[in-house]
Structure formats: C-alpha cells, structure tokens
Amino acid sequence: MRNKGERDRIGYLLAEREIVAQFDPLPLGPRKPVDTRDWFFESQAAEILGITKRALERRRQRGTGPANHQRIGRTCYYLDDIDAWVASKPKAYKPPPSYGE
C-alpha cells in the first residue's frame, strides 16, 4: 500500500488534469520540446488500474497492457496512455474509483 503522501500526489494529478490551464507564456524563441505529461512508475500505475504490479508486468511482457516507456532506467506509464488503454477495453471493464473521489 502506498503512503498517504504518494496517494495524495496521485489524487492531485488525477484532479489536476481536469483543469484547463489558461497560462500562455511570452514566446522567448525556439525551445526544445519538453515532455510534461504526468507519468507513474509501474507500481503506481498498477495501483491506479487496481491490479498488482506483477499483473501489469505480465501484460507489458505480452504486449497487452498500456504503452510503457523507460524513464531513468525504470518502466513508467504516462497517464494519457493509461486512460487510452482503459478506454480501449470493453465497457465491462471498470477501473477502481480514483483517489480524489
């Protein structure tokens, strides 16, 4: 089980993505593309999906899970990819309620 601080972070990120940011910084010239999507390590993604880390690992190995990426030498999942994977499942699949609810 995750500690309270980590659960709060996950809940915050899930709630934050519902808010549309209206911030438009002044253009300062060309910038390198920066990936600012919310990402989670494998154990955190498994907790969001309501499955064990091992079950998510098996799905990754079989190619039947959400898209995964390597970040700082560990497997991670972007929240957008998790949402897309859940949306692609049959309607009978019900992910657990999010932490913010």
Side-chain angles (χ1 to χ4, degrees), residues 31-52:
R31 295 184 188 174
K32 294 180 187 175
V34 177
D35 190 4
T36 59
R37 297 185 294 172
D38 297 324
W39 56 276
F40 299 96
F41 289 123
E42 197 163 33
S43 58
Q44 296 167 321
E47 190 173 336
I48 289 171
L49 290 169
I51 59 178
T52 64

Side-chain angles (χ1 to χ4, degrees), residues 64-85:
T64 60
N68 61 77
H69 309 274
Q70 291 295 314
R71 191 168 186 142
I72 59 174
R74 294 176 62 186
T75 302
C76 71
Y77 297 84
Y78 290 112
L79 190 56
D80 298 341
D81 294 337
I82 293 172
D83 288 341
W85 182 75

Side-chain angles (χ1 to χ4, degrees), residues 1-4 6-7 47 99:
M1 194 66 186
R2 301 279 157 223
N3 63 27
K4 184 176 180 343
E6 194 164 335
R7 284 195 309 267
E47 190 173 336
Y99 288 98

